[in-house]
Amino acid sequence: MIKKHGSANWKGSLQDGNGTVSTQTGVLDEQNYGFKSRFEDGTNTNPEELIGAAHAACYSMALSMILGKSDLTPDNVDTKATVSLEEVEGGFAITKIHLDVTASVPGASAEQFEEAAQAAKEGCPVSKVLTGAEITMDAKLA
């Protein structure tokens, strides 16, 4: 079993407080997050953008793995995951995640790419953990 961790610290009220997030590797080390960056236009990070980055990274790796099973190696995979946070009955929820994917895969047919792209969307571990959200995708072979 592989275990990785992240951590967060929060001080103060929701709207006026602030916090920091860190990762096990130290890539994120006490990076600021807060209300303004989550619900307005603040410049710090927020949980939804971190989930988006994690989903994009996981999806890109999964797509590379699935293509590799067909002896295809991508030159490049660009993935953007847009996370939608909406007010619903009982509070806020992540309701949707949309993946925009562009990949350069020498030798791949459009059909091979589409099949691999869909399999990666369904099979990446982060997609699996986000089952409460509708996950959509636009994938194109460059």
Side-chain angles (χ1 to χ4, degrees), residues 35-54:
F35 183 87
K36 289 186 185 205
S37 62
R38 190 171 195 188
F39 295 101
E40 298 171 4
D41 287 329
T43 58
N44 297 317
T45 193
N46 59 72
E48 289 71 33
E49 110 180 329
L50 294 170
I51 289 170

Side-chain angles (χ1 to χ4, degrees), residues 4 18-19 25 46 68 77 95 100 123 128 132 138 141:
K4 304 292 180 185
N18 60 66
T25 61
N46 59 72
V77 178
T95 56
D100 281 302
K128 289 178 181 180
D138 290 322
L141 189 56

Side-chain angles (χ1 to χ4, degrees), residues 48-133:
E48 289 71 33
E49 110 180 329
L50 294 170
I51 289 170
H55 199 182
C58 184
Y59 174 87
S60 296
M61 293 175 77
L63 179 58
S64 180
M65 178 194 72
I66 291 165
L67 289 165
K69 290 178 181 179
S70 297
D71 293 323
L72 297 167
T73 301
D75 284 340
N76 188 58
V77 178
D78 282 319
T79 306
K80 176 182 174 184
T82 302
V83 177
S84 297
L85 179 69
E86 296 183 77
E87 190 167 7
V88 297
E89 187 176 323
F92 283 85
I94 293 173
T95 56
K96 298 176 187 170
I97 300 170
H98 182 76
L99 301 171
D100 281 302
V101 183
T102 303
S104 173
V105 187
S109 69
E111 183 179 321
Q112 285 174 307
F113 176 72
E114 181 60 31
E115 187 176 300
Q118 287 298 325
K121 179 173 101 47
E122 302 300 323
C124 105
V126 174
S127 287
K128 289 178 181 180
V129 79
L130 297 171
T131 57

Side-chain angles (χ1 to χ4, degrees), residues 10-19 33-36:
W10 185 262
K11 293 180 171 89
S13 68
L14 174 63
Q15 291 186 341
D16 297 324
N18 60 66
Y33 75 103
F35 183 87
K36 289 186 185 205

